[in-house]
Amino acid sequence: MRVSKAQAEANRARIVVAASSLFRERGYDGVGVVELMAAAGLTHGGFYGHFQSKVDLMAEAAAFSFSQSAAGAEGVGVDEFFRYYLSREHRDARAEGCTMPALCGDAARQPEAIKATFAAGVEGLLVKLASALPESGNEDGNRVRARTIDMVARAVGAIVLSRACPDESPLADEIVEACRLELLRGLSTPANN
Amino acid sequence: MRVSKAQAEANRARIVVAASSLFRERGYDGVGVVELMAAAGLTHGGFYGHFQSKVDLMAEAAAFSFSQSAAGAEGVGVDEFFRYYLSREHRDARAEGCTMPALCGDAARQPEAIKATFAAGVEGLLVKLASALPESGNEDGNRVRARTIDMVARAVGAIVLSRACPDESPLADEIVEACRLELLRGLSTPANN
DNA sequence: TGTACATCAGTGAACGCGCGTTCACTGATGTAC
DNA sequence: TGTACATCAGTGAACGCGCGTTCACTGATGTAC
């Protein structure tokens, strides 16, 4: 059942796309190779023709979702970015949402290759946000960088904490809302201390 | 090989203590019942005499580590609390550190009983911190609560992101340090916006 | 352009392994007399 | 206080299951002539 080279490449791409969603939704240990391949319309035996190992796909899926997020955030203001990031919609959209709150906990226990992919994803987001931040005359680059890191940590932490609470619990909603308000407030009155 | 009632109770407690560390270090899926029991000096067969299921122990271990953290933070200033929380020591001490950055990602995919335990742990920390916060005349209770939630999210997010970076990478250290500085700065100049 | 054949993407059975859980058994504890 | 026996905490073999990975095979693709 050989398949054209173009078809094979498309199949491979479909595996990566499906994996990036399934992993975000259920974690690296929560999805097996059989299900990963089935989600791309294939059977599991062909997996090792495309990837060296499951860990290999984990890294590639993470890289894909980071680049996808970066593309999606193109031309979006910092304000707008966090307004969506810290929303109930984003919290509930695990499969399509940001990879960081979905998989950083898992990534921390994975091989260095995966952690390197995550670090690159974080760095990419930091650079993008820092450059999109409204200019503030009396701030040096270090301070802008520190504030950007802090904002990302707040946003990731809020989603992580909110998702760990029972579905529909008041605390889950309170967390994303409090963090959104506080973060946006800080954004409108930049570094005055 | 029956054992005295007191001994059995002590054994059970040792299982919970060992589990709370092992789960934090390697995640819920990363430690099996055999290893959990071995860490308490027992064999796996006796597990179901103490707990209904592995999930049961997961909830109990989380409750234990939250109450342990609460006891350890007794009488500690907010300032001092976050100074340690956002340190490389804490980031590297996964097995003994805060349960939130270690297991919230896993908890999000677990049954509601576990998520309820996490929500209770978060709520407990929020109450403790809010009451320990230095009084600020012109802030109402809602604002204090929101700022407390925001601080916890920042701290948890920073540890989560830092641990997802390769060990010894500059970014891993930069994240905890930037967040510590920003958070402490905000603490010393309370809500002026 | 048409034919003959080598290539190789995808299939599905099979591998060893560790998982959570069950259960018949052991033997010290705790109780009844 | 001492003896006889029921209780039950802990043991370790066994269960079915799903995991990541391998491999002999199939048959359409792509190539050589």
Side-chain angles (χ1 to χ4, degrees), chain B residues 2-3 8 11 43-46 50:
Chain B
R2 194 185 187 185
V3 121
N11 286 347
T43 56
H44 67 278
H50 289 300

Side-chain angles (χ1 to χ4, degrees), chain A residues 2-3 8 11 43-46 50:
Chain A
R2 193 187 189 183
V3 122
N11 286 347
T43 55
H44 67 277
H50 289 300

